[in-house]
Amino acid sequence: MPSIFTRIIRGEIPCYKVAESETCFAFLDINPLAKGHTLIVPKNEVDYLFDVEDELYIDLMRFAKKVAIALEKAVPCERIGVTVIGLEVPHAHVHLIPINALNDMNFAKPKLTMSAEELEMLAATISANFN
Ligand code: 5GP
């Protein structure tokens, strides 16, 4: 069965899309830890990040860097934090999170509630800064 992220990439499940390359896809996390929390996913479904073959792994990291630059322009912050967990969705992904303090990366914190309009606007703003 395809992962939920494969279904998002195929357009079978809606998402707030940020950017895409030939091999990778970026969209807003549905339960954001911070405004602009974005997921970077290889289109080719592999569960564990370190099982992704080298060329795609490098593509993914290059793509993550470009999205992070766009994200920082859209959501001014001290840094874009990067983390990999993968305990919930078995499709390799990198979390990009705008942060100003260490605790902003704490996944045990309550998630933000954002309206569909806010998420849509945010995705469009990040996307407009992506090149
Ligand atoms: P992890 O696998 O890294 O532990 O967490 C998976 C992440 O994917 C979580 O932050 C969760 O909010 C996000 N997520 C899970 N299902 C969906 C979904 O259907 N849409 C979106 N946009 N994000 C999701």
Side-chain angles (χ1 to χ4, degrees), residues 3 5-6 8-10 17 19-27 39-46 49 52-67 91-94 130:
S3 75
F5 290 169
T6 293
I8 286 173
I9 293 162
R10 287 179 183 164
K17 180 179 162 182
E20 118 176 79
S21 71
E22 201 178 312
T23 58
C24 302
F25 199 87
F27 55 99
L39 302 175
I40 308 292
V41 180
K43 288 181 179 174
N44 185 22
E45 185 178 329
V46 175
L49 182 72
V52 171
E53 53 94 6
D54 287 357
E55 201 177 321
L56 179 56
Y57 181 83
I58 290 163
D59 270 6
L60 187 76
M61 291 304 163
R62 280 212 186 101
F63 180 69
K65 179 178 174 180
K66 286 175 65 178
V67 174
H91 183 150
H93 54 280
V94 173
F130 180 84

Side-chain angles (χ1 to χ4, degrees), residues 4-5 8 13-16 27-33 37 39 83-91 93-95 107 111:
I4 189 130
F5 290 169
I8 286 173
I13 292 177
C15 74
Y16 299 98
F27 55 99
L28 295 180
D29 194 297
I30 202 69
N31 289 124
L33 202 51
H37 183 168
L39 302 175
T83 196
V84 174
I85 302 178
L87 290 174
E88 183 186 327
V89 178
H91 183 150
H93 54 280
V94 173
H95 296 256
F107 275 74
K111 304 300 185 288

